[in-house]
Amino acid sequence: MKEKFPGFRPGLAILQVGNRDDSNLYINMKLKAAAEIGISANHIKLPNTATEADVLKCIASLNGDPAVHGFIVQLPLDTDKPINTEKITNAVAPEKDVDGLSSINAGKLSRGDLGDCFIPCTPKGCMELIRQTGIQVAGKRAVVVGRSKIVGAPMHDLLLWNHATVTTCHSKTSTLAEEVGKADILVVAAGKAEMVKGEWIKPGAIVIDCGINHVPDSTKASGKRVVGDVAYSTAKEKASYITPVPGGVGPMTVAMLMQSTVESAQRFLEKFQPGKWNIQYNQLTLKMPVPSDIEISQSCIPKPIDQVAREVGLLPDEVELYGQTKAKVHLSALKRLKNQPDGKYVVVTGITPTPLGEGKSTTTVGLVQALGAHLHQNVFACVRQPSQGPTFGIKGMSCSVFNLHLTGDIHAITAANNLVAAAVDARIFHELTQTDQALYNRLVPSVSGVRKFSDIQIRRLQKLGINKTDPTALTKEEVNLFVRLDIDPGTITWQRVLDTNDRFLRKITIGQSPTEKGFSRTAQFDITVSSEIMAVLALSDGLDDMKKRLGRMVVASSKRGEPVTTDDLGVTGALAVLMRDAVKPNLMQTLEGTPVFVHAGPFANIAHGNSSVLADKIALKLVGKEGFVVTEAGFGADIGMEKFFNIKCRYSGLRPHVVVLVATVRALKMHGGGPAVTAGVPLPKEYMEENLQLLARGCSNLNKQIQNARMFGVPVVVAVNAFKTDTKAELALVVQVAKEAGAFDAVECTHWAEGGKGAVALAQAVQRASQAPSNFRFLYNVELPVIDKIRLIAQQIYGASDIELLPEAQEKVTLYTKQGFGNLPICMAKTHLSLSHDPEQKGAPTGFILPIRDIRASVGAGFLYPLVGTMSTMPGLPTRPCFYDIDLDPVSGEVNGLF
C-alpha cells in the first residue's frame, strides 16, 4: 500500500475507559504489534468517570476521522458510571469495527457474508491456526464449547460457513464429555480452568484452547499460574494439534487485529481511490420543443449532495452540507490527495461573441455530461459563481440555488471589501484629527497596565525597518512612522461594493455627516464580483496563500508615493476570518448528475474571468489520472483564455491538455458583416436564413481565435454550438474552416436541446485530443518591461500593429515599476465584443493602434490591468428588469420567473 500510495499508513485507534491493569497489558501488546508492521496506532484513554455520552462522543469523532481505518473499544469498560456495552460496540462504524463486535458485522457473519464483514479477532485467529495444520475443515465435525458473542457464537458461524458440521456446547449441555469426544475440531472458550479433560478428546483431534484462567501455584512468585480451559498435559497426548496457554491463541488474536486493520485500510483505498467512481447518473427525458430553462432545471430530482460527494471520493468530514443540493468542500481533501496524479485539464473558451453569448457555459455542462453520463469517464466541471445583480437585471438565469446566495461567498467578499473601504476612510479621518501620541495611545492601548503590539503591528514595524517589540522603546520619529500611513486621498483605488445593479452608486460623495468634521470625498460603488478580493479568492491555492494575497492588496499611495496595503491598515487577519469559509469550493451537480465545483466569479475584463485554482486542483485529484476536469474561461479566447493561460496557469502551475473553442453560425455571420445583434430585440432575417457567403467572411474571427489558442501549444477542438435556425450546409462550412485553420477537430453539438447526448461527439474528440502532444508555453516572460508585455498581447492576440499609452497610463507604468510591481502578469481590460478596442470592429481586424487609457494594479491578486477604453464596474437596471417576473410560490416554496 505504501508503495502504491506514498505517505499512506493504515490507522488503528484503541479506546480505553479506565485503567485496568489487564487492559493496559493487552493494549501495550497491540500497540507494539502495530508499530512493528507500520500501522499508525492511537491510544485514547478516558477516565473511569467518563459517562456513556462521553464515550459515544469520542466514538463519533473516531468514526469520522479518515486517518482511522480500524477502531476498537477495549473491553471491559472500567467505569463508575452505568454504560450499555452493546450500545457502545454498536456505535462503532461497521466499516471500522475491526473487532467485529457490532450487530451489523455479527449479522453478516451469521448470514455467511464473510467477505463483507469483520470477524472477531479471536475466532479469526483460531481459524487461521486450524488452516495452518493443513487439515481440511470442510466435512469435519466441529464442537465449540462456549457461546459468548466475542468467541463462541462467531466461532460457530465461522466453522459452519467453512463447511464443518458444528455443535455448540455450553454450561447447560448435559452430555458435554460425549459431545467433545465426537469432535475432529474442538474450540473451547468456556472461561473455566481445565474444564475439558484429556480423556474426553478424540484421538487426532485439533484442539484450540481460548481460555485464560489463573489457578493457585505456590511455586510461582505471584502464587498463581495461567492455564486454559483444557487440561493441557493430558490433552496433548490425544490431540494431533493443540494450542498452549499462554502463547497460543493470544498472539494470534493480536495478529488478526493487525490483519483486519490492514484489510480495512485496503477497503478504504479501494473506495476512495481517485479513478474508481461508482456514480449514479440521472436520465433526461428529452422534449420537443425544448422547454424553458426553469422547466428543465425543475424536471430532474437532484441527488442528495452528500451522495454526490461520496460518489466522487470525498470523505464525510471533508464535506460541509448547505441543505440538500449544495455543499462546501474542505481544503483538507487536497492535502489528503496530494500524492495522487492529476487528470486531464480542459478549458472551454469561445470566438468573439455577440451580446447574447454563444453558449460556453452550456457547452461546458454538455461536455461534462457527455463524458460522464454517456462515456462513463470521471469528470468534473469547474465554473464561476454568477453575480446576483444581473439575475435581477437582464440575465434572469435559471436555477435559483445557483444564482441566489449559493453559500454566501459573494456576501463574504462584500463584507470583506467594505471593511477595507471603511478602514481606509477611518484611518485618514483619525490621522487628520489626532496627534502622533494620541494615535499611538489608541493604536497600542494599555490593557491592565500592559502595552503590547499585535502580530500585524509587528509586521508593520519590520516593514519600516524598526526591529523593536516593546511599545515603550520607540522614538518620536519611529512613532510618527508607525502611526502615519499618510494616505493621499487622490490615489485611493479601493471602492465599496454591492452585489446589486445600481447605476446611482457609480459616483457618490461620502463623509457628509457633521461627525466627519468636513472630511468628504468623491467615491463610487462597484459590483461585488469586480472586487480584487474576488480575484484573490480565485487565484489562491490555500488559506495561507489567500491570507498573504489579502495582505498585499494595495488600496492607495501615501503622500510620499509609497503603496499602502491592507496589511498596513492592520486588517489582513480580519479579512482572512471573513473569507475562511468562502475559500472552500462549492459542490453542486448537473441535471444528469455529474459533479460541479462552483467557486469564485471574477470579472473577465478588469480581472481574469476564471473560476478558482483550488476548485480545479481538488477536482483534478478526484477524477484521477484518466479523468477530466472541464473549466470555463470568460468572454472570448482573446480575453478569458489568454488570461487563463498567462495568469491562472502561471500561478496554479497547472498545464492544460485541450482547448474547446465554442463557435456559432450566428456570431460568425455577425463577424461577416451581418446586422447588429441586440439583446431583447428579435434577430434580423440574415441570422434566420442560410447565408454561406456572410458566414464564410465571418470565419476570419474563428481562424484568429484558433490561432490564438494554438499559440500556447495546446490542441484545439472547435465545438460548433448548433441553433435550430442553422442549416446543415452552414454547420458543415464552419467545421471545414475550423479544421483547415489548424483545429485538432471540429464537431457539431446539440447539447442545448439534448443534454449530454448532444455532446458525445465533442466528448470523444476531446478524449482524442487529450492524448495528443501538448507543448504548453506562456506568451510572455513576466520579467519583461510592462510596456513590452502589453504590446505582445496587443500584437499577438488582438492583431494590433502597436499600442499607444496615454499620459496617465505612462505615469502608472513608471509608478508601478518604481514600487516593485513591474514583474506582475498583465490582465487586459477591454471590450469582449471585438478583438480590437472598438466593439463595432468585427471579424479579425488588423493594423490598428490599441490605446491604453490607464493602468491599475491588483497587487494582492497578482496582476496589472491596463484599461483599454472605459470599463463599467457597476451595471444598471434596464427599464423593465427581470424582477418583475420573479416571485415565490408560498405553498410550494418554488421560485418562479427565472427563465
Side-chain angles (χ1 to χ4, degrees):
M1 280 192 287
K2 288 168 77 173
E3 285 178 4
K4 193 171 182 182
F5 303 98
F8 177 81
R9 291 182 73 189
L12 171 66
I14 303 172
L15 175 59
Q16 179 185 9
V17 180
N19 195 35
R20 283 176 58 124
D21 290 339
D22 55 350
S23 291
N24 291 334
L25 177 64
Y26 299 145
I27 289 169
N28 286 335
M29 290 170 57
K30 294 165 185 174
L31 294 175
K32 182 181 177 183
E36 285 178 4
I37 67 169
I39 288 176
S40 174
N42 184 19
H43 179 198
I44 302 99
K45 205 168 189 176
L46 298 180
N48 62 3
T49 56
T51 64
E52 186 174 272
D54 295 331
V55 179
L56 290 172
K57 183 178 179 181
C58 187
I59 290 173
S61 175
L62 292 168
N63 283 343
D65 187 346
V68 174
H69 308 107
F71 168 25
I72 68 170
V73 179
Q74 184 67 40
L75 300 176
L77 302 172
D78 177 22
T79 175
D80 299 334
K81 308 293 182 183
I83 295 182
N84 184 329
T85 300
E86 186 168 355
K87 185 176 181 180
I88 295 301
T89 54
N90 279 326
V92 177
E95 65 273 16
K96 296 188 179 187
D97 174 30
V98 288
D99 248 351
L101 299 182
S102 69
S103 296
I104 289 177
N105 278 318
K108 288 183 176 181
L109 173 58
S110 69
R111 294 193 320 182
D113 298 335
L114 304 188
D116 188 34
C117 70
F118 284 112
I119 298 164
C121 298
T122 298
K124 188 176 182 181
C126 293
M127 279 303 301
E128 184 59 31
L129 286 168
I130 294 167
R131 287 193 190 96
Q132 292 288 339
T133 68
I135 295 172
Q136 291 293 318
V137 175
K140 296 293 188 297
R141 182 180 293 274
V143 173
V144 178
V145 181
R147 52 182 173 180
S148 73
K149 294 179 181 179
I150 296 176
V151 182
M155 192 72 233
H156 171 279
D157 294 336
L158 200 51
L159 286 163
L160 180 67
W161 293 111
N162 277 274
H163 312 297
T165 301
V166 188
T167 300
T168 296
C169 298
H170 44 78
S171 60
K172 303 297 183 183
T173 303
S174 58
T175 56
L176 182 60
E178 182 183 335
E179 296 298 334
V180 168
K182 298 174 184 177
D184 301 313
I185 299 170
L186 176 64
V187 181
V188 186
K192 293 185 178 181
E194 299 183 326
M195 181 184 73
V196 175
K197 310 306 179 185
E199 56 267 27
W200 296 0
I201 295 170
K202 180 180 180 180
I206 298 171
V207 179
I208 308 293
D209 188 351
C210 303
I212 299 178
N213 308 284
H214 294 89
V215 297
D217 188 341
S218 59
T219 66
K220 301 292 184 182
S222 64
K224 56 186 179 181
R225 62 187 171 90
V226 177
V227 299
D229 290 354
V230 179
Y232 181 78
S233 59
T234 54
K236 70 177 182 178
E237 302 300 328
K238 302 275 297 275
S240 58
Y241 295 91
I242 186 169
T243 58
V245 177
V249 172
M252 285 301 297
T253 299
V254 175
M256 292 303 101
L257 175 62
M258 299 302 114
Q259 186 182 79
S260 292
T261 301
V262 172
E263 288 173 356
S264 180
Q266 288 173 320
R267 293 176 189 176
F268 170 85
L269 289 175
E270 288 172 5
K271 187 175 181 181
F272 292 107
Q273 180 185 339
K276 290 191 175 181
W277 288 2
N278 182 16
I279 189 166
Q280 171 191 327
Y281 296 108
N282 297 327
Q283 190 168 357
L284 298 183
T285 302
L286 302 180
K287 296 181 180 179
M288 290 296 171
V290 178
S292 69
D293 288 353
I294 193 66
E295 287 178 283
I296 294 171
S297 70
Q298 293 176 351
S299 67
C300 283
I301 299 174
K303 295 178 289 186
I305 200 64
D306 59 335
Q307 177 184 333
V308 177
R310 287 194 304 273
E311 288 174 340
V312 302
L314 288 165
L315 305 180
D317 69 332
E318 292 170 344
V319 181
E320 192 175 325
L321 301 180
Y322 280 65
Q324 290 291 309
T325 57
K326 53 190 174 178
K328 278 198 165 291
V329 174
H330 290 245
L331 305 190
S332 58
L334 186 57
K335 183 178 180 181
R336 173 174 65 87
L337 298 166
K338 65 181 179 181
N339 293 315
Q340 299 301 323
D342 288 343
K344 304 292 195 307
Y345 198 25
V346 180
V347 59
V348 176
T349 185
I351 61 171
T352 306
T354 68
L356 305 178
E358 307 317 306
K360 291 194 310 300
S361 297
T362 58
T363 301
T364 299
V365 172
L367 174 56
V368 297
Q369 291 184 152
L371 283 165
H374 298 269
L375 299 182
H376 306 294
Q377 301 294 307
N378 290 357
V379 61
F380 240 105
C382 292
V383 300
R384 289 184 292 166
Q385 180 183 351
S387 170
Q388 180 181 284
T391 298
F392 290 109
I394 59 169
K395 285 192 174 181
M397 295 173 69
S398 66
C399 187
S400 59
V401 171
F402 181 56
N403 286 281
L404 306 179
H405 307 300
L406 197 58
T407 57
D409 294 352
I410 291 181
H411 300 318
I413 292 166
T414 302
N417 184 99
N418 292 344
L419 177 62
V420 176
V424 169
D425 289 314
R427 188 57 176 263
I428 294 172
F429 172 78
H430 291 307
E431 288 187 23
L432 285 173
T433 57
Q434 297 180 55
T435 64
D436 289 357
Q437 193 58 49
L439 279 169
Y440 192 59
N441 290 341
R442 287 179 171 86
L443 287 170
V444 193
S446 176
V447 180
S448 301
V450 178
R451 301 183 77 179
K452 183 181 177 182
F453 290 120
S454 66
D455 291 342
I456 201 165
Q457 288 176 327
I458 293 287
R459 287 206 300 271
R460 171 147 175 81
L461 288 168
Q462 290 170 346
K463 179 179 177 180
L464 294 170
I466 303 171
N467 296 312
K468 296 178 181 178
T469 57
D470 180 1
T472 63
L474 268 63
T475 66
K476 285 186 177 181
E477 291 76 14
E478 289 170 339
V479 167
N480 175 267
L481 282 173
F482 175 73
V483 302
R484 298 283 171 188
L485 296 181
D486 217 15
I487 294 171
D488 179 354
T491 66
I492 295 172
T493 55
W494 197 269
Q495 308 298 344
R496 288 164 172 80
V497 297
L498 188 68
D499 196 31
T500 302
N501 291 9
D502 191 345
R503 65 191 329 119
F504 286 93
L505 294 177
R506 289 170 179 168
K507 188 173 184 179
I508 60 173
T509 302
I510 61 172
Q512 294 191 357
S513 169
T515 56
E516 310 326 311
K517 301 180 181 179
F519 171 64
S520 64
R521 66 181 182 90
T522 300
Q524 68 186 61
F525 269 82
D526 295 334
I527 198 160
T528 298
V529 291
S530 71
S531 169
E532 184 179 349
I533 296 177
M534 177 64 89
V536 165
L537 173 65
L539 289 170
S540 297
D541 69 1
L543 201 54
D544 185 57
D545 182 48
M546 182 182 72
K547 186 177 176 182
K548 289 175 181 175
R549 288 175 182 271
L550 290 171
R552 291 198 299 263
M553 295 187 303
V554 174
V555 299
S557 293
S558 71
K559 292 173 182 175
R560 298 182 297 276
E562 296 168 348
V564 177
T565 68
T566 43
D567 219 45
D568 294 324
L569 285 167
V571 75
T572 305
L575 297 180
V577 169
L578 286 169
M579 294 293 292
R580 64 177 178 170
D581 289 326
V583 77
K584 305 167 193 171
N586 303 300
L587 178 66
M588 297 185 75
Q589 62 189 295
T590 66
L591 284 177
E592 295 188 44
T594 57
V596 182
F597 275 139
V598 182
H599 198 217
F603 257 30
N605 44 31
I606 66 168
H608 63 293
N610 285 265
S611 59
S612 79
V613 166
L614 278 168
D616 290 0
K617 284 191 170 184
I618 295 173
L620 284 164
K621 296 297 184 186
L622 287 170
V623 299
K625 188 177 181 180
E626 302 304 318
F628 291 83
V629 170
V630 182
T631 189
E632 177 192 344
F635 294 152
D638 54 309
I639 299 180
M641 183 197 71
E642 181 270 316
K643 295 173 184 180
F644 171 81
F645 289 140
N646 282 321
I647 298 175
K648 185 175 181 179
C649 290
R650 196 184 297 271
Y651 282 122
S652 70
L654 299 173
R655 299 294 177 261
H657 293 79
V658 183
V659 171
V660 173
L661 184 72
V662 180
T664 64
V665 168
R666 176 180 69 193
L668 292 173
K669 284 181 175 179
M670 178 193 72
H671 286 296
V677 175
T678 306
V681 176
L683 286 171
K685 65 180 181 63
E686 286 84 350
Y687 299 103
M688 312 298 288
E689 300 171 355
E690 183 176 287
N691 191 326
L692 295 177
Q693 187 177 7
L694 190 64
L695 178 62
R697 286 200 304 269
C699 282
S700 60
N701 187 271
L702 174 63
N703 289 343
K704 175 57 179 166
Q705 298 289 30
I706 292 172
Q707 177 191 331
N708 284 344
R710 295 187 67 203
M711 203 176 296
F712 293 89
V714 184
V716 183
V717 174
V718 173
V720 186
N721 187 15
F723 295 171
K724 60 183 179 182
T725 54
D726 299 339
T727 68
K728 289 184 177 180
E730 288 175 329
L731 295 169
L733 176 61
V734 178
V735 168
Q736 177 188 337
V737 170
K739 290 179 179 179
E740 290 172 353
F744 177 90
D745 203 350
V747 181
E748 177 188 337
C749 307
T750 56
H751 48 270
W752 179 78
E754 298 181 298
K757 178 184 175 183
V760 168
L762 173 63
Q764 291 168 333
V766 167
Q767 282 182 298
R768 293 192 301 272
S770 71
Q771 304 299 325
S774 177
N775 303 306
F776 176 72
R777 54 188 173 269
F778 297 119
L779 180 66
Y780 55 81
N781 186 326
V782 289
E783 303 295 325
L784 288 173
V786 173
I787 293 176
D788 290 354
K789 288 182 283 193
I790 297 172
R791 182 177 287 113
L792 271 172
I793 296 171
Q795 293 178 333
Q796 298 293 316
I797 301 296
Y798 305 156
S801 59
D802 205 351
I803 61 173
E804 177 188 10
L805 266 69
L806 301 183
E808 193 171 357
Q810 187 62 62
E811 289 173 11
K812 292 292 182 62
V813 169
T814 304
L815 174 65
Y816 293 145
T817 303
K818 179 184 175 183
Q819 291 180 337
F821 307 141
N823 290 340
L824 292 175
I826 300 299
C827 182
M828 299 292 284
K830 80 166 187 72
T831 178
H832 62 290
L833 298 174
S834 171
L835 281 163
S836 75
H837 57 286
D838 180 359
E840 300 303 317
Q841 284 197 314
K842 304 302 182 182
T846 57
F848 57 90
I849 303 294
L850 191 75
I852 309 298
R853 180 173 62 84
D854 193 6
I855 301 176
R856 294 177 187 168
S858 288
V859 179
F863 51 75
L864 301 177
Y865 59 100
L867 298 177
V868 183
T870 302
M871 292 291 122
S872 174
T873 51
M874 172 53 84
L877 291 173
T879 304
R880 192 185 190 281
C882 288
F883 59 61
Y884 278 97
D885 304 307
I886 297 172
D887 200 0
L888 183 70
D889 186 325
V891 177
S892 67
E894 293 287 343
V895 174
N896 299 320
L898 292 175
F899 51 86

